[in-house]
Amino acid sequence: MGRAPCCDKASVKKGPWSPEEDATLKSYIEQNGTGGNWIALPQKIGLKRCGKSCRLRWLNYLRPNIRHGGFSEEEDRIILSLYISIGSRWSIIAAQLPGRTDNDIKNYWNTRLKKKLFGKQSRKDQRQQHFARQGANGGQKEEVSRDAAGTNGLAAGAYNWHQHAMAMAMPVRPMSGSMVEGNRIGEEVDESIRKLLFKLGGSPFMSLPPPPVYGETPSFVPPSVHTTPPSEGGIQCSSILPALELDESFHFNQIKLDGLDCFFGMGDQNMRWNEVSPLVCPNNTVASSSQGIQQYCLVEEPVDLGMQ
DNA sequence: AACAGCAACAACCGCATGGGC
DNA sequence: AGCCCATGCGGTTGTTGCTGT
């Protein structure tokens, strides 16, 4: 026997909300509140809508201070960090991004951020990049942007993967000013997020090892991670960090992080290295370098995540 | 100009959870 | 302790508009 429906489906309107419905709901709630009973609310105000639908409409679109679209890089990083740590718990992630709703973040992740991370750019992003490049350098040599699919950040010379990984994956307090200064993560870490992640069984990013010095054996190296320095100089890549950190999160949480599989070498076998987003592997050294560096930066073999 | 395919977004559905009785 | 109900949550589907051919 199934669950009783929350409302009479036959007499309830479905589909997009009209401006009149929005106005009715909004004005009522602003004046009277929800009354603590969403089920009764639509009848009370004469809306032929399910109470759940009213609640969703209010929470996602009508309540004050809602922001839609225009996600910043910092918001991207927060979403990524929290997703890595706690998985698809959108309401918790949304709680760290004032003005964002769980639905909005979920949609953003599914339609854009995930693709951005793993290389398949949306047309919108491609367009934005195209125009940004044109605007920035008058159509001359392309200046790489953050989310260009796998080609940016490849400046000759040193690159500090540790710092970049920290900057990308560290939970960042969204409203207290950027903790990233000069491409370096600051000392301050949001305690509330740490506690939250810890409570949820994820990694609170509290015990990251310092970046290894080449020639020394890291204190803790997962067996599947190679730490061989690149054969040719120029890349100072603290290899274990992203993989280790993500790996820890997997082991702690045992949450299947769909879409991150390929990052662990257990997903799409056709994934090309140059399709990995710079947000995950920022300078995409792996995109254009030797096999050795591929091994160097990423987990080589599938990891037993205990997620059968 | 018309059409097909795709991406983005809005909304729905059903299960989980927690509180009241 | 167990049931019922409202709410919360996340996955999924439907709709719309844009882009490319």
Side-chain angles (χ1 to χ4, degrees):
Chain A
M1 188 172 121
R3 184 184 180 80
C6 65
C7 53
D8 180 9
K9 308 280 183 193
S11 62
V12 156
K13 184 184 171 189
K14 290 164 72 173
W17 281 65
S18 68
E20 292 77 24
E21 289 176 311
D22 281 347
T24 302
L25 181 62
K26 192 175 183 198
S27 66
Y28 179 86
I29 293 178
E30 281 175 348
Q31 290 171 19
N32 307 291
T34 64
N37 189 341
W38 283 107
I39 301 296
L41 191 144
Q43 289 178 325
K44 210 182 293 183
I45 61 178
L47 281 178
K48 289 186 167 56
R49 290 279 181 175
C50 173
K52 290 173 77 169
S53 181
C54 292
R55 176 184 157 273
L56 205 63
R57 188 68 187 170
W58 170 255
L59 291 177
N60 288 340
Y61 299 97
L62 300 178
R63 80 184 148 108
N65 304 323
I66 293 288
R67 290 187 295 150
H68 290 290
F71 282 79
S72 66
E73 290 185 22
E74 187 158 5
E75 286 176 311
D76 284 0
R77 282 197 292 272
I78 293 166
I79 294 168
L80 172 63
S81 298
L82 290 172
Y83 188 91
I84 286 169
S85 297
I86 63 177
S88 58
R89 298 165 83 162
W90 303 117
S91 61
I92 295 173
I93 295 172
Q96 302 300 326
L97 299 171
R100 302 294 188 187
T101 68
D102 55 352
N103 205 38
D104 221 16
I105 294 170
K106 178 174 58 179
N107 282 332
Y108 179 59
W109 173 266
N110 285 331
T111 59
R112 299 176 68 171
L113 194 50
K114 196 157 67 176
K115 291 170 190 169
K116 191 192 282 186
L117 285 173
F118 298 106
K120 229 189 128 187
Q121 281 185 290
S122 69
R123 284 184 295 193
K124 192 173 174 182
D125 287 339
Q126 287 172 346
R127 282 201 307 279
Q128 284 174 349
Q129 276 175 31
H130 175 71
F131 291 126
R133 286 172 193 147
Q134 286 190 326
N137 44 40
Q140 296 183 0
K141 188 183 177 198
E142 286 194 356
E143 187 84 27
V144 287
S145 66
R146 173 183 65 91
D147 53 358
T151 56
N152 61 335
L154 264 177
Y159 181 82
N160 192 321
W161 172 243
H162 173 81
Q163 288 176 2
H164 207 139
M166 292 289 282
M168 287 302 170
M170 178 73 80
V172 179
R173 186 202 302 275
M175 304 310 284
S176 62
S178 176
M179 301 196 309
V180 182
E181 295 177 6
N183 201 27
R184 181 181 180 282
I185 200 81
E187 294 299 317
E188 179 192 0
V189 175
D190 190 327
E191 275 304 310
S192 67
I193 298 180
R194 282 177 177 241
K195 288 174 183 172
L196 174 66
L197 295 176
F198 189 73
K199 185 179 174 184
L200 291 166
S203 167
F205 298 90
M206 293 179 76
S207 56
L208 285 171
V213 177
Y214 299 127
E216 293 181 5
T217 305
S219 57
F220 170 55
V221 181
S224 58
V225 176
H226 292 237
T227 55
T228 316
S231 55
E232 296 179 5
I235 310 218
Q236 298 173 4
C237 184
S238 170
S239 67
I240 66 169
L241 275 171
L244 169 60
E245 192 58 33
L246 291 167
D247 197 35
E248 278 182 19
S249 294
F250 268 113
H251 281 292
F252 273 119
N253 289 328
Q254 300 198 350
I255 294 170
K256 177 162 172 57
L257 304 182
D258 289 338
L260 293 176
D261 294 357
C262 57
F263 187 63
F264 289 85
M266 60 190 185
D268 183 3
Q269 298 301 311
N270 297 320
M271 189 79 177
R272 293 197 302 271
W273 290 106
N274 64 358
E275 291 175 342
V276 177
S277 165
L279 201 55
V280 173
C281 189
N283 74 346
N284 258 320
T285 302
V286 293
S288 57
S289 302
S290 68
Q291 281 287 337
I293 296 180
Q294 289 180 16
Q295 291 176 344
Y296 186 66
C297 289
L298 292 170
V299 177
E300 184 187 29
E301 296 168 359
V303 177
D304 175 15
L305 302 174
M307 298 187 299
Q308 277 78 21

